[in-house]
Structure formats: C-alpha cells, structure tokens
Amino acid sequence: MIEFDADGNRMVLKLVYYGPALSGKTTNLLKLHDLLAREGRGELMVLDTQNDRTIFFDLLPFFLTAPSGLRIKVKVYTVPGQVQHDATRKAVLQRADGVAFIADSRRAEAKNNVESFGNLERNLSIVGIDIDKLPLVIQYNKRDLPDITPDEEVRTIWGPTGIPVVLASALEGWGVVETFRALVERTYDTLDRKHALLGTHGLTRESFVQRLACRAE
Amino acid sequence: MDDGGKTRIDYFVGMDRSLGEILSDSEVAPLLAAAERAGLPGAYVVDPKGNLLWGNGSAAAPPGEAASERTILVEGEPAGGVALADPAPAEGPGEALLCLLADTLTAMAHNNLKRMLTTEVHTEVVNRSYEELLETNRKLVVSEQRYRELAGNLEIKVRERTEELSRAMTRLLQQEKMASVGQLAAGVAHEVNNPLAFVTSNVQTLKKYIERFLDMIARYERACEKGGIPQPERDELRKHREALRLDAISRDAGELIRQTQEGTERVRKIVADLKGFSHVDEEGEAPADLNREIERTLSVLAHEVPPGAEIDRRLSPLPSLVCRPGLFCQMFLNLVRNAFQARRDGLRLVIRTAVSGDRIVLSFADNGPGVPPALRTRIFEPFFTTREVGKGKGLGLTMVYDIVTSHGGTIEVEDTPGGGATFVVKLPIQRGGHDKVR
C-alpha cells in the first residue's frame, strides 16, 4: 500500500500490470479506460514511450469513498516489459497491493512468459512482498491470434496453483474488465482482512468491485 | 535474494503530490498576472483545505465555499482550486476566463507531474545502474586479485602436487614390489620347507642308526678283547680300525649330527621369519605386537649387520596395535638399514619401545654422522639421499614417512646424545578419527 492516512481518512492503493514485453499491458489499461464508466476514474497518464514501447509506466487512477467517509484511491500501473528496464519494474512493483500478470498466449512466447514470471517472483522477493499473500491474477492475452497455447493446456499449467486465470483479447476488448474485476475482488479480500473495510468502513465487496469495475453504459 | 541481498529499494512509484509541490511560483504568477490583464483581477489558488497557495487572496475561503471557485485536477482528483477575491466578475466572460485559468493550471500540473515522474525514474535508474556498475567493478577487482594470486601460486601448487603424486606413485611401486618380493619369498620358503622337513627327519633317524652301529661296534670290540679270535686277526682288525680312524669318527659323529640339526633348525627359523616378515598370508589389518615385529625384522637382517656392530634392544611390553604388520616390518627394516648405512665400523644402534599416554613411541638411535638441521625436513622427500650415487635410491625414509603418517602417527629426527641420529616414531594406539592405513 502506498499510503494509509487514518487521520486524513484516506487510503492509496497500487495495482500493477506485469508481464513480458509486448504482451499487451498498456493495451489492457487503454481498454479499461475506454470500457469503464468515466465516473470514479481519472484520465490515463501514459509516460513517454519509444516506438510504442513503454519505457517508464502508464497510470490509470480510480477513486471511491466508503460509507465511513474513507476516500480510497486506486492507482493502476503498467511496468515496462523489456528486460533492460528491471530497475523501473522494481520501483513500480514496490508497495503493490495486487498484480495482474499479462501473459502472451502465442506458443512462441511461452518461454518469455516463464522468464517474466520468474522475474516477477524475484523482484517481489527483493521489494519484500510475499507472493503467496499477494492478490495475483493471470491473464492469457491475445486469444484472437492463431497458434496459441490451447485453453486446456493453460488450465493444466495454472490450475494447481489456485491463481485465477482469465482468457482475453485486449485488442478486441474482451476479458479485460474480467481480469481487472478478478484482481479487485482479491485485493478487497486482502484489504478487508487488514483494515476491516466492511466492519469499520461499511464497504462491501460487491460495492467496492462495482464502483471500480463499472462498465460504461 | 537475486542481487546478493544488497539491493536497497528506497524509491517507489506512486507517491501522491500536492499542488504546491507540482507547480512553482514562477509558473503560476505570470498566469495570474495575465488573467488580471485580461480582466480577471484578484484570482488566487488554494489547496484542497482552502489554504492560499498563490495570488492575492487574503480573504481566502475553503474550497467549495467560494462560489467562484473552479477545481484543479491532479491525476483526475481535485488537488486545489482557483477563485476570485471578488466573485462579481465570475460571470459571463469572467467565468470563461476563470475556467480557462483552472484548465490551464490542470494541464500544467499534469505535464509537470509527468516530467517529474519521468525525471525521477530516470534519475533512479541512472543512480542504480551506477551503483550496480560500482558493485560489479568492486567484484571484478576482487576476482582479478584472486586470479592474480592463483596465477602466482600456481607454480608452487603444481610443484607441491607433483611431489605428492610422485610420492604416491613411489609408495605404490614400493608396495607392489614388497608384495611381489614377499610372495616370492613365501613361495621359496614353502619349497624349502618340504625338503627341509625330510632332511630334518632323516638326520634324526640317521642319528639313531649311527648310535646303533656304534653300540654294536663297541659290543664286538669288547667281545674281541675277551679272546676267541687269533692274535694276527686281532692285530689286523686293530690296524684297519686305526687306518679308518674309527675312534675319531665315532667321537665326531655325534657332533656332526648335532651341528647338522642346528643347521636345519636355523634354516627352519629363517624360513619362518621370512614368511612372517613378508606377511603374505595376512590380508589387510591385524593386531600385532611391534616388539615381535622388530625382532623378526632384525633376524631377517642378521646377515646385513656390519661386523662388530652392537644392537641394543630396550623393548618394553606394548599393547597390541591394529595395523598392517607387513608394512610395519618394511618400516622397521628401512629404519634399521638406514642405521646400518650410517656407520660401518663401531655402529651402536639402540632400539627403544615404550608407551607414552595414548601413543606407542619407538626410537631408533644410531651413532652415525647425524642429520644436519637444514636437511631434517628434506630426508623424507622422495629421491632425496645423502648416500653416494647408486648406494641409495632415497626412498627408504619416504616409505617410512608414508607408513607412519598413513597410520596417523608422526616421525621426527633428532640428535643422539653424543652424536648420531635418532628417529622417533609416535603411533596412536587407537586410531579413532584417523583414516585407515591406505
């Protein structure tokens, strides 16, 4: 968590879209920006890019206020996927409250997915986050493309881990909100255990998820 | 941790910033001045709590309460507002100007925030890369140092290893040789034993036969002397007996047999010693009485003892020691032979055995020329010899050293009081933590 100011009645959370280069992290945020209701979210901030490759990060902020008056700001970030930007990835990952791992479904990218997930595990350990306690969601993106890892195989790989897997095509705009919703749900569960969102602030899981992941009419 | 546990993370992305941190006086003041020139006097900027940030708004009210206020957004969230001291002009064109001012400040804040974030990340990455480079450089220096040292020591290491190897090979060769010599000796001993057995038995029988002949001859003689045989024949018999020197022969016969029996007994003992010494019948380790092994070695070496040499055995009772007796005999043989070669005339060798604490202490003291202190560590090296070329291979003491150390013992050379060298061997009675004899 970036910030919890009990006196100021304010909480700032961080969700991170992680994954190998060109797996569609920024596209996910762009689509979220398009698909979700304007109310309760800020504008997408895209920091400088180079040939469409993220070199810093992208940011999409969300806001909501709990019945108790607690103001919650959720900042959703992407990391640069290219190997050389590891220092930036660590800085973005620091104090994250949840991670969506965006994998590239194409068979040729399987090795990059594995390497990037290994990088995520290492960096989480370096920044002092326990991967077993972190809300984590996997998205298999680019399901619209040919020559992809079949659904069955994806479930065989990730099923035993208990991590939710969402199949998506960010480009076509499906699976994106589902991924975000799954991540927000898990994040609520963790937060509720720590900060009694329901007990102290009267904020239910449904209302938390609904306000953050509300589709535009 | 992947980075050697040293990674410090003291920068993270996401900290919220206030409007006062994002915008500066030099950026806002000209905007407010321009607004005033455009007909919007008294515009001021407040933070979310209503505190005045910029402008001439002494009568600042909390945001929302000033009717004229327009919100400034940062990351889509209200971060402050711009309002007018006198709300009157905030209508018509004034309101448009006020909105424009708020939108301009929002855009400015947005761009400033982007610039700040990119600069921060950039600076952080540069700093971290620099630190990583420094760390890599430090590791390289250490590694280079280590390789330098390795390179420097390589020659010494190679020499040490070569010596070790040559020592090990020598030991193997010597053991191999010992084994074959021992087998040969045992084979010869076995072959000698068979004829020796019937020679011994036959001599014994022969002794009984001769005794019977002599007894019969004596009886005939006594019968002759009593008469019944004519004088000329008796003279004839006496002459023949003198010619045959039968009296001397019968006196000598017993002695001959006795000496022969002594001889066969000696052969038997030598053969037994040879077999015992080579220990070819024994496989591996066995409990041994070192005093007995020393005696055995000395008897095998009996023919090599220099004339007039004095060997003084001062052997105390020893507990039995589990070892490879054949190897130990070889060790004693080399130590005793070393003493024999140290001095030919007037050699005096004192062999002592004793128990000291948990060790057996053996010492072999000669009165030869002794070993100069400078050579004391070298005499155990393979092929080191002080003897003339051809007289010694320089392996004897190396073998001794290897046998002693492989048993977990120590060997040292000291001066014998009054001149000479004393080899002191200390052997642990129990070899608890030590390796078994190779």
Side-chain angles (χ1 to χ4, degrees):
Chain A
M1 179 177 301
I2 296 174
E3 190 187 328
F4 178 59
D5 177 4
D7 297 333
N9 215 12
R10 180 179 156 84
M11 183 186 270
V12 183
L13 306 176
K14 183 196 271 190
L15 301 178
V16 176
Y17 276 54
Y18 212 92
L22 294 172
S23 68
K25 299 174 291 293
T26 301
T27 312
N28 258 275
L29 249 59
L30 285 167
K31 283 292 166 185
L32 273 182
H33 179 262
D34 293 348
L35 294 171
L36 296 183
R38 264 193 78 85
E39 197 188 336
R41 66 158 171 79
E43 289 305 305
L44 178 66
M45 183 191 278
V46 176
L47 263 66
D48 298 17
T49 53
Q50 212 172 32
N51 306 327
D52 258 2
R53 310 289 298 268
T54 304
I55 55 174
F56 293 104
F57 50 81
D58 310 314
L59 164 63
L60 183 59
F62 293 83
F63 316 95
L64 65 102
T65 306
S68 67
L70 175 74
R71 285 179 300 133
I72 302 176
K73 182 173 181 183
V74 180
K75 294 182 165 190
V76 183
Y77 287 92
T78 62
V79 295
Q82 293 176 86
V83 175
Q84 66 264 38
H85 295 306
D86 201 41
T88 309
R89 272 196 295 279
K90 280 179 211 161
V92 174
L93 201 56
Q94 176 100 340
R95 304 199 196 182
D97 296 284
V99 169
F101 183 82
I102 310 301
D104 194 322
S105 291
R106 285 175 297 174
R107 282 190 173 283
E109 297 298 313
K111 185 164 162 278
N112 288 338
N113 291 336
V114 170
E115 274 170 13
S116 177
F117 198 81
N119 176 264
L120 170 65
E121 286 180 313
R122 258 198 319 282
N123 282 345
L124 282 173
S125 141
I126 288 171
V127 303
I129 295 175
D130 184 351
I131 192 167
D132 293 327
K133 291 182 183 153
L134 179 78
L136 183 61
V137 174
I138 311 265
Q139 179 191 91
Y140 264 74
N141 193 15
K142 308 196 186 180
R143 303 306 291 177
D144 53 308
L145 294 184
D147 199 21
I148 52 175
T149 308
D151 297 10
E152 202 46 47
E153 202 176 316
V154 170
R155 296 197 196 291
T156 316
I157 296 171
W158 291 100
T161 65
I163 302 171
V165 178
V166 180
L167 301 176
S169 166
L171 210 58
E172 293 179 356
W174 50 273
V176 170
V177 176
E178 287 76 1
T179 306
F180 184 60
R181 181 179 278 272
L183 178 60
V184 166
E185 281 170 353
R186 287 171 80 87
T187 306
Y188 176 89
D189 295 340
T190 309
L191 278 177
D192 188 39
R193 277 196 292 277
K194 258 193 252 169
H195 297 282
L197 287 185
L198 182 61
T200 309
H201 300 287
L203 183 63
T204 64
R205 190 176 198 249
E206 289 67 29
S207 114
F208 182 77
V209 174
Q210 185 51 32
R211 287 203 221 165
L212 289 176
C214 176
R215 282 177 184 275
E217 289 302 315
Chain B
M1 272 195 196
D2 190 48
D3 295 5
K6 286 192 177 119
T7 311
R8 284 189 340 271
I9 303 283
D10 37 25
Y11 172 76
F12 73 96
V13 168
M15 185 91 85
D16 273 0
R17 286 185 175 73
S18 69
L19 201 56
E21 291 170 296
I22 299 171
L23 296 176
S24 68
D25 297 353
S26 60
E27 289 168 321
V28 181
L31 266 180
L32 294 180
E36 186 152 1
R37 281 199 301 278
L40 198 67
Y44 61 93
V45 181
V46 291
D47 71 6
K49 292 197 171 92
N51 301 313
L52 182 70
L53 291 173
W54 294 283
N56 196 2
S58 51
E65 290 178 26
S68 61
E69 188 185 309
R70 295 291 177 275
T71 311
I72 301 170
L73 298 170
V74 171
E75 288 182 359
E77 202 180 18
V82 56
L84 293 177
D86 172 13
E91 281 167 21
E95 187 182 348
L97 266 180
L98 193 60
C99 286
L100 183 63
L101 191 55
D103 287 352
T104 308
L105 285 168
T106 296
M108 194 184 267
H110 182 74
N111 285 328
N112 277 3
L113 189 61
K114 266 172 104 164
R115 186 174 44 78
M116 286 164 76
L117 285 171
T118 49
T119 308
E120 273 172 12
V121 174
H122 180 73
T123 310
E124 169 67 14
V125 169
V126 167
N127 282 346
R128 181 154 323 182
S129 306
Y130 180 64
E131 277 172 27
E132 277 168 12
L133 277 176
L134 282 182
E135 175 66 14
T136 309
N137 185 49
R138 198 188 58 73
K139 282 183 185 158
L140 275 175
V141 168
V142 170
S143 148
E144 191 202 358
Q145 180 66 26
R146 201 172 63 238
Y147 280 106
R148 267 182 205 284
E149 279 170 16
L150 273 177
N153 290 336
L154 192 60
E155 211 171 310
I156 299 169
K157 291 260 179 215
V158 165
R159 203 160 53 228
E160 281 174 8
R161 278 303 167 94
T162 311
E163 275 169 19
E164 255 172 53
L165 278 174
S166 93
R167 194 178 274 204
M169 197 186 75
T170 306
R171 188 173 55 232
L172 278 174
L173 277 177
Q174 197 69 17
Q175 281 179 359
E176 194 62 29
K177 207 161 80 186
M178 268 297 293
S180 57
V181 166
Q183 269 165 5
L184 188 66
V188 169
H190 184 71
E191 289 303 315
V192 170
N193 256 343
N194 281 336
L196 185 64
F198 67 73
V199 166
T200 309
S201 158
N202 290 359
V203 167
Q204 183 68 28
T205 314
L206 198 58
K207 188 184 170 198
K208 279 184 206 153
Y209 290 177
I210 287 172
E211 279 166 0
R212 284 185 199 177
F213 283 135
L214 289 176
D215 178 54
M216 202 60 211
I217 289 170
R219 280 170 197 260
Y220 280 134
E221 236 164 63
R222 279 200 299 278
C224 275
E225 294 303 323
K226 283 177 186 161
I229 293 176
Q231 190 61 40
E233 283 182 32
R234 245 194 278 173
D235 289 345
E236 164 82 20
L237 278 172
R238 200 189 64 244
K239 268 186 201 160
H240 191 61
R241 184 174 141 174
E242 281 166 5
L244 287 177
R245 298 196 296 137
L246 210 60
D247 288 340
I249 285 173
S250 51
R251 275 198 306 276
D252 203 24
E255 183 64 14
L256 272 179
I257 296 286
R258 199 186 57 73
Q259 281 182 12
T260 306
Q261 280 181 325
E262 245 181 56
T264 54
E265 174 58 23
R266 260 166 65 193
V267 172
R268 192 195 62 74
K269 194 164 173 297
I270 289 170
V271 166
D273 280 340
L274 205 56
K275 274 179 90 171
F277 174 80
S278 64
H279 287 277
V280 284
D281 301 339
E282 293 164 20
E283 288 268 328
E285 305 203 339
D289 175 5
L290 296 190
N291 286 338
R292 190 161 147 261
E293 301 300 333
I294 288 172
E295 288 288 3
R296 214 173 229 168
T297 307
L298 288 172
S299 71
V300 169
L301 275 176
H303 66 287
E304 287 186 26
V305 179
E310 183 194 342
I311 299 179
D312 188 353
R313 302 165 169 81
R314 301 188 188 172
L315 311 181
S316 320
L318 297 177
S320 73
L321 184 73
V322 176
C323 62
R324 285 171 68 176
L327 276 184
F328 273 54
C329 281
Q330 184 65 33
M331 168 172 89
F332 300 145
L333 182 109
N334 286 347
L335 283 170
V336 171
R337 224 176 229 167
N338 190 65
F340 289 173
Q341 287 168 347
R343 180 164 175 168
R344 295 307 294 175
D345 299 319
L347 171 70
R348 182 177 148 77
L349 171 63
V350 183
I351 302 175
R352 288 186 182 85
T353 65
V355 175
S356 167
D358 57 353
R359 309 206 137 211
I360 290 176
V361 180
L362 316 167
S363 75
F364 296 76
D366 64 46
N367 57 347
V371 181
L375 298 183
R376 281 182 190 173
T377 53
R378 297 204 59 202
I379 53 169
F380 298 111
E381 286 176 14
F383 308 113
F384 178 83
T385 180
T386 56
R387 318 238 186 275
E388 299 162 42
V389 176
K391 289 262 173 152
K393 291 189 296 296
L395 293 174
L397 289 177
T398 307
M399 259 198 81
V400 170
Y401 182 87
D402 285 339
I403 293 167
V404 170
T405 51
S406 67
H407 188 86
T410 59
I411 180 165
E412 278 164 20
V413 61
E414 305 168 353
D415 284 327
T416 306
T422 300
F423 289 87
V424 181
V425 175
K426 294 180 181 169
L427 300 162
I429 297 170
Q430 297 290 337
R431 269 178 302 156
H434 296 287
D435 292 333
K436 294 279 180 189
V437 174
R438 279 171 281 179

